Amino acid sequence: MDSVPVDEGKTVSDAPRLRASYALDAEGAWIAQARHLAAEFLGRARTEDGLPVPERVVEITQLVVSELVTNARKYAPGPVGLDLRVFGDAVEVVVHDGNPEAPRPRDADPGRVGQHGLEIVMAVAEALDVRQEAEGKSITARIALSA
């Protein structure tokens, strides 16, 4: 897994306050690594930016990262990109993958085991956006810092 240095948002007026990008292209524990990166990122937001980030927001962000990276790993070919950014009063989790097909929530079924990831993300995120890209798609989940 490689960390990609990015513009920290100081040169563009509409840019995020804090941002980090990661390429999740190594074999192994992607989900655990991605969850750790999310917690580390929000820890930096607290210490470097002085942003009040409740522990509940860290937990929700890790859950969203876990579900979106799991889906990308399961249903998309190739590497997965993870962007974390703070915009105003929210943290955004963006997962890029090589499958152009948009995920679709399944009908409610209390007897179904598994395959609830998108439902979980939709329940805890303030907003969810799916965009087609040249080589797949990106899914952005917005989580209020006051969650």
Side-chain angles (χ1 to χ4, degrees):
M1 173 171 343
D2 300 319
S3 174
V4 179
V6 296
D7 177 355
E8 294 294 331
K10 294 177 176 68
T11 59
V12 181
S13 61
D14 226 11
R17 291 168 58 182
L18 185 63
R19 178 178 176 182
S21 294
Y22 306 94
L24 306 175
D25 58 4
E27 290 297 320
W30 282 22
I31 295 130
Q33 292 170 348
R35 289 174 60 88
H36 175 76
L37 291 169
E40 189 176 82
F41 171 78
L42 291 173
R44 283 196 343 259
R46 281 182 184 139
T47 58
E48 294 174 15
D49 205 34
L51 197 62
V53 180
E55 192 57 35
R56 179 79 177 133
V57 171
V58 175
E59 293 167 356
I60 291 170
T61 302
Q62 286 183 298
L63 174 64
V64 168
V65 164
S66 180
E67 295 300 335
L68 293 179
V69 170
T70 297
N71 285 350
R73 176 84 165 123
K74 189 172 183 178
Y75 300 111
V80 172
L82 172 64
D83 294 335
L84 301 166
R85 53 194 185 203
V86 173
F87 271 106
D89 63 350
V91 60
E92 291 184 344
V93 174
V94 185
V95 174
H96 308 271
D97 69 42
N99 182 351
E101 188 174 325
R104 285 178 247 147
R106 300 184 64 176
D107 292 333
D109 179 358
R112 183 175 75 229
V113 176
Q115 298 184 336
H116 295 281
L118 191 57
E119 295 169 60
I120 292 168
V121 172
M122 291 171 66
V124 299
E126 186 177 72
L128 187 67
D129 181 56
V130 179
R131 294 181 189 251
Q132 301 304 116
E133 295 182 340
E135 295 181 12
K137 69 178 169 302
S138 67
I139 300 176
T140 303
R142 183 175 173 85
I143 302 154
L145 287 170
S146 62

